[in-house]
Amino acid sequence: MFADDFRIGAAVNPLTIQSQEELLAYHFNSITAENEMKFASLQPEEGVYTFEEADRLAAFAQKHGMAMRGHTLVWHNQSSGWLFEDKKGNAVDRATLLERMKSHIHTVAGRYKGGIYAWDVVNEVIADEGDELLRRSKWLDIAGPEFIARAFEYAHEADPDAALFYNDYNESNPGKRDKIYTLVKSLLDQGVPIHGIGLQAHWNLYGPSLDDMRAAIDKYASLGLQLQLTELDLSMFRFDDERTDLTEPSAEMLELQAERYEGIFKLLKEYRDVITSVTFWGAADDYTWLNDFPVRGRKNWPFLFDEQHRPKPAFHRIAALARH
Ligand code: HAH
């Protein structure tokens, strides 16, 4: 439906490439590994790389003629503990950390050269609240702010053909949007090889507003970079809603979700010249990271397809839109 506009992707894992294979192959032309290409998954111990599951996902993309995005080379979460420490458990120095980063990026981006066309090089380094630009992290504490530029340089050395992205959430929140813009602009001003901004787009039924999404897209696009929605889902709950009583979504919720998805895809189509891919953080409601997160014991239904992989009202609304 959107083949002429942008790629449509889904996050996958070793279970869903089996349980959702048919759905994925039919509706999606791009995948991202949900967890299997994160630092802790690929290099649990120094110099010991575990590529088996990541390779299986890359082979799935190959088999179905799908594109693949890489996620993610540098992040403060799901990183291995050893990365920041010496053998005695003390913090390593700056040179050692950057050397380890370089070696990891060269190994990983080098291995998937040709198979992965775009990498989330740096994930979530902007502080959510307050005036601080960068989030406190071991990366920042040890290596200082320039770890960000170094990561892009190493990725570019390893795979000069890959499109390199900065990726973050709450990207449509005006305060955080401006900080993301400031960071990426400063990277561009320094001549850092960065080619795109990933808008995670973990949104919900109530926010962000379409106006805030549009303003974010406009502002990021003004940097002359390509944009991708990298982790789209539409939670049924506000972020601070802790209700756990719901066992299935109400008709009203499904209708509101359909309206939201329709508005979102209308907007995305308007920006088809700058948006090159729209990836959902999953494919159907039988599996989502939002089950049990951030509220334990709560299910969620964020996608276009239900638990039986049947199209939901949101899918039909988007399909109608695509026909026009
Ligand atoms: C994303 N973080 C990560 O990029 C992705 O790798 C992970 O699988 C899920 C979501 C978003 C996020 C978070 O992890 C914690 C709080 C808010 C948002």
Side-chain angles (χ1 to χ4, degrees):
M1 288 166 3
F2 296 98
D4 294 337
D5 301 314
F6 28 68
R7 287 196 171 97
I8 295 284
V12 300
N13 63 49
L15 295 176
T16 60
I17 58 168
Q18 297 188 1
S19 60
Q20 301 180 334
E21 179 163 14
E22 222 182 311
L23 182 78
L24 289 164
Y26 188 75
H27 286 290
F28 300 83
N29 56 13
S30 176
I31 59 166
T32 306
E34 182 188 12
N35 291 302
E36 292 68 18
M37 292 189 180
K38 291 171 181 171
F39 199 107
S41 300
L42 289 183
Q43 201 186 167
E45 289 172 58
E46 182 160 22
V48 179
Y49 285 88
T50 43
F51 285 120
E52 207 180 307
E53 295 197 320
D55 284 356
R56 276 173 49 211
L57 302 181
F60 179 87
Q62 275 260 312
K63 171 183 170 191
H64 290 290
M66 296 160 133
M68 188 168 197
R69 302 187 79 260
H71 177 83
T72 173
L73 296 170
V74 172
W75 190 26
H76 61 282
N77 276 331
Q78 292 178 255
S79 228
S80 315
W82 66 262
L83 174 58
F84 305 104
E85 294 173 2
D86 64 19
K87 291 210 169 63
K88 292 184 207 132
N90 301 315
V92 291
D93 60 20
R94 183 174 165 277
T96 305
L97 183 57
L98 290 175
E99 198 46 53
R100 287 175 176 180
M101 178 205 253
K102 178 175 178 179
S103 158
H104 182 82
I105 292 178
H106 277 208
T107 305
V108 173
R111 182 183 187 87
Y112 295 106
K113 207 162 134 60
I116 286 185
Y117 80 99
W119 272 102
D120 292 331
V121 177
V122 174
N123 200 34
E124 306 181 350
V125 296
I126 295 293
D128 276 296
E129 307 292 339
D131 299 330
E132 287 287 304
L133 185 70
L134 299 179
R135 162 199 306 280
R136 279 293 300 276
S137 72
K138 288 188 180 168
W139 284 112
L140 183 62
D141 284 351
I142 298 172
E146 71 175 82
F147 79 89
I148 300 167
R150 292 291 92 75
F152 282 94
E153 286 161 11
Y154 299 148
H156 191 57
E157 289 165 12
D159 185 355
D161 298 326
L164 305 182
F165 281 75
Y166 175 70
N167 191 50
D168 214 331
Y169 66 91
N170 285 350
E171 73 301 312
S172 299
N173 168 301
K176 192 158 171 190
R177 172 198 74 204
D178 289 352
K179 290 199 260 182
I180 293 172
Y181 173 90
T182 300
L183 169 71
V184 174
K185 174 137 191 352
S186 94
L187 294 173
L188 287 168
D189 290 345
Q190 295 165 63
V192 172
I194 175 171
H195 313 109
I197 299 179
L199 295 77
Q200 287 189 10
H202 290 296
W203 296 335
N204 64 54
L205 288 193
Y206 310 98
S209 68
L210 290 171
D211 286 345
D212 280 353
M213 293 171 196
R214 178 190 294 279
I217 292 171
D218 278 332
K219 181 138 192 178
Y220 298 144
S222 75
L223 291 167
L225 298 173
Q226 58 171 307
L227 308 183
Q228 299 193 340
L229 267 59
T230 53
E231 308 186 13
L232 174 61
D233 43 29
L234 265 197
S235 167
M236 292 289 186
F237 307 98
R238 284 194 169 83
F239 195 74
D240 56 2
D241 182 343
E242 296 187 349
R243 71 181 288 192
T244 54
D245 57 314
L246 210 66
T247 54
E248 55 179 292
S250 68
E252 290 76 30
M253 288 169 124
L254 289 169
E255 174 55 24
L256 190 51
Q257 188 178 51
E259 280 167 25
R260 288 277 282 165
Y261 265 122
E262 181 181 11
I264 290 166
F265 272 81
K266 238 185 212 164
L267 179 66
L268 298 177
K269 250 177 112 70
E270 254 190 75
Y271 286 88
R272 61 196 287 281
D273 293 341
V274 285
I275 296 175
T276 51
S277 172
V278 176
T279 292
F280 294 79
W281 210 234
D285 290 345
D286 53 319
Y287 176 79
T288 163
W289 73 297
L290 294 172
N291 288 338
D292 292 316
F293 182 86
V295 177
R296 285 264 298 274
R298 183 180 72 187
K299 268 195 61 57
N300 213 322
W301 302 270
F303 298 126
L304 302 178
F305 302 96
D306 71 10
E307 285 153 287
Q308 276 78 48
H309 303 179
R310 294 173 305 210
K312 292 161 66 183
F315 176 87
H316 295 299
R317 294 283 271 276
I318 288 181
L321 219 168
R323 281 194 295 270
H324 293 121

